[in-house]
Structure formats: structure tokens, C-alpha cells
Amino acid sequence: MSVGTRPKGRRATTPASRPPAASAYVSGAASVAVRPAIEAPRRPARVLAAFPLALYLEIRSEAEPHVVAVVTGEAVRLPNAVVLAERLDGVSAGDDAWVGEGSVEVGGVSICVRRWWDPAPPLGPADPTRLAPALGLLRRARAASPRRPGLDPDGAPALLERGCRAGSLVESITAAERLIGLGPGLTPSGDDMLAGLLVALRHLGAAAGVPRAVWLADWLAAAVTYDARTRTTPISATLLHCAARGEASPEVTGVLRGVAGHQPLEPAVHRLLRLGHTSGADLAWGVQIGLSAVLAHREGQ
């Protein structure tokens, strides 16, 4: 999912041996998903991509989160994001950065994290009578939207839905492994679909009292994150790790709250569908598959 339109040109850099001297200090609010990276000892990083509303920093670490997004309040608040009041200018892909000891340093600015926010807020109990109508509304909204998913519905997506509804680990994991890294972009369509599915299975399964769905989310999360870093983009791999823990952007969690009956669903679905070129549609497709599986397993209990 990109929150800008075009990366700025890359310029040649050399690895920094120490943090650059900061010329300015600003405060930021960070996701608890990146708290381990922010509070760890300071480590070097590099700018993977620079957009008008977001920067993506790759930390030189073997642990996740491997990528931290630095975004403005106008951008999508990704689950691995540090949110600023104003955009940072003059930063290009390939620039050096530093992350750790409570701050992010990039482009001559030191971002001090003062507040934390939760990318996986508790959903609360779901109203069982709303689940089936919510599935119908989600299907209709997706069908009517001009934003289309990035993948053909046949093949791996169809196998994924069939496997999740049946609770088949063989079919579900086989389909998930085919989808990792499938499609173009910073977050390929297959990854976005899997992210929506993982979050929906975990949150809606718990909210609706369907342990089989949470069990399926656990297995799929392990399979998807096992070698994600070698199979997809660094940004997408980190977002898959977030989704495996139930962490997502407010657009996704808003749809889940709507499905559970805690807020209007239709406006939330339309907000999600508007994300990116195909990311919103792919995420919504994954949420739909997850909700369909939760309903199937609830009826079978």
C-alpha cells in the first residue's frame, strides 16, 4: 500500500558510522508494534522509499519490525507507523537514518516518540445476528466499487476461501504460500489479501466466540511469516508480521468494528476500499474471506 504517488530520486550515500547531527526535534506518536525497535539500542537504517506523506525506513536488524513507516496525519496510519504532525521534506530513497533509544533520526530531524497507540484495539463481543448481513453488505460494496483487487478471483484466492471455510490447513496454507509476494507494488495484492484475512480471522473469531477461526489464524500466521522477508518486499513482510498479531490500519479495524455491530459498517467499508490503487480492495477481499470462514465455523459448532 503506497500513501504517495512517486518515490523521490535515489542519491548515492555511504553507510553512516554514527547518527547524523539533528538540526531539529519534533514529537511523534508511534504504534506499539514498533515499540521494540524504537526502544532498542540505536541502530542504523536506510530510507527504502520517500513519498510526500510517508517515509519507509529499513532497520539493519534480523528481527521484526524490520521496516518503520514515518507518516503524517494525512496518510494511512499503518500498523508500523510513527505519526507526525507535519511532513518531512528533503529526504530521498537511500538516505541514512537511525532508529532506537526512543527516537527516529532522518533528514536532519530527530523524532522523539512521546505517545503510543494500539494498532490492534480490542474489538469487544460481536452481535451474532449482524454477521451474515455484514457479509452480504461487504460483498455488495466490493462488487459495486470501481476499485478492483489486483488478482484474478480464480486460482489461489478461490483455494484460500474454500480452505478457510472448510478449516482445511492443507488448502489454506497451500493457497497462502502461493499468494505471498504475488502482484506488483510496495505491498503486493496477495499480501494485502492475506493481511485482511489474518486480522479478520483473529479478531472476529474471538469476538464471535469461534475458536476454530482463531486456531486457523494462528496456523496461517506461522506459515505466512516463516519466510516472508525472502518472498516479498521488506515493507510488505513487516505488515504481514503485524497482521499475524492482529495489527492493522484504522480503515481495516473500522470495518471489523462495523461487522461486530459497534459502528456503521457501510461507511467503514467505503473508506477501506479507497486505500491505494488496489490495496483497499485486496484488504477488503481478505476481510470478506475471513468473515465467511467465521460464519461457516460458527454454524458448524
Side-chain angles (χ1 to χ4, degrees):
M1 177 193 308
S2 64
V3 294
T5 55
R6 185 178 303 169
K8 297 181 182 179
R10 182 185 179 109
R11 69 184 184 190
T13 59
T14 57
S17 58
R18 62 182 183 276
S23 59
Y25 295 85
V26 298
S27 296
S31 164
V32 296
V34 299
R35 193 164 195 162
I38 298 292
E39 294 187 338
R42 188 170 300 185
R43 290 170 293 178
R46 70 185 180 96
V47 179
L48 280 178
F51 297 97
L53 302 180
L55 308 174
Y56 297 95
L57 311 181
E58 182 178 29
I59 305 168
R60 296 172 192 171
S61 167
E62 294 303 316
E64 289 291 347
H66 191 52
V67 174
V68 173
V70 178
V71 307
T72 73
E74 305 167 72
V76 178
R77 197 174 71 189
L78 297 173
N80 62 327
V82 177
V83 183
L84 306 180
E86 298 179 0
R87 69 179 66 185
L88 295 180
D89 296 319
V91 180
S92 299
D95 284 357
D96 291 315
W98 290 78
V99 177
E101 298 179 3
S103 67
V104 175
E105 294 186 15
V106 61
V109 175
S110 179
I111 304 162
C112 301
V113 175
R114 303 299 188 191
R115 294 184 296 110
W116 302 93
W117 52 273
D118 187 0
L123 187 57
D127 182 349
T129 65
R130 292 178 176 267
L131 298 183
L135 179 60
L137 187 153
L138 187 53
R139 283 175 172 158
R140 292 191 298 273
R142 286 189 54 238
S145 174
R147 300 293 184 93
R148 309 309 303 165
L151 299 176
D152 189 280
D154 296 326
L159 178 62
L160 182 68
E161 181 165 11
R162 185 168 66 247
C164 287
R165 286 181 57 84
S168 168
L169 286 180
V170 172
E171 289 187 331
S172 301
I173 292 175
T174 297
E177 289 180 341
R178 293 178 185 174
L179 287 167
I180 297 173
L182 189 61
L186 292 174
T187 59
S189 291
D191 296 347
D192 285 330
M193 181 190 298
L194 289 170
L197 169 66
L198 289 169
V199 174
L201 284 173
R202 186 167 303 285
H203 285 289
L204 294 177
V210 185
R212 182 77 175 179
V214 180
W215 170 85
L216 182 58
D218 287 338
W219 276 98
L220 279 172
V224 165
T225 58
Y226 175 71
D227 59 352
R229 196 181 291 189
T230 64
R231 307 246 341 249
T232 188
T233 67
I235 296 169
S236 199
T238 290
L239 292 176
L240 284 173
H241 277 269
C242 289
R245 298 187 295 265
E247 299 162 352
S249 70
E251 289 81 5
V252 176
T253 57
V255 170
L256 299 183
R257 286 182 55 78
V259 169
H262 301 312
Q263 71 178 55
L265 175 58
E266 189 168 2
V269 172
H270 290 306
R271 283 193 296 271
L272 176 58
L273 287 169
R274 287 195 293 267
L275 294 186
H277 296 293
T278 67
S279 286
D282 294 320
L283 285 161
W285 193 0
V287 171
Q288 178 184 308
I289 293 173
L291 174 56
S292 178
V294 168
L295 276 169
H297 294 300
R298 185 174 184 277
E299 293 168 358
Q301 289 182 164

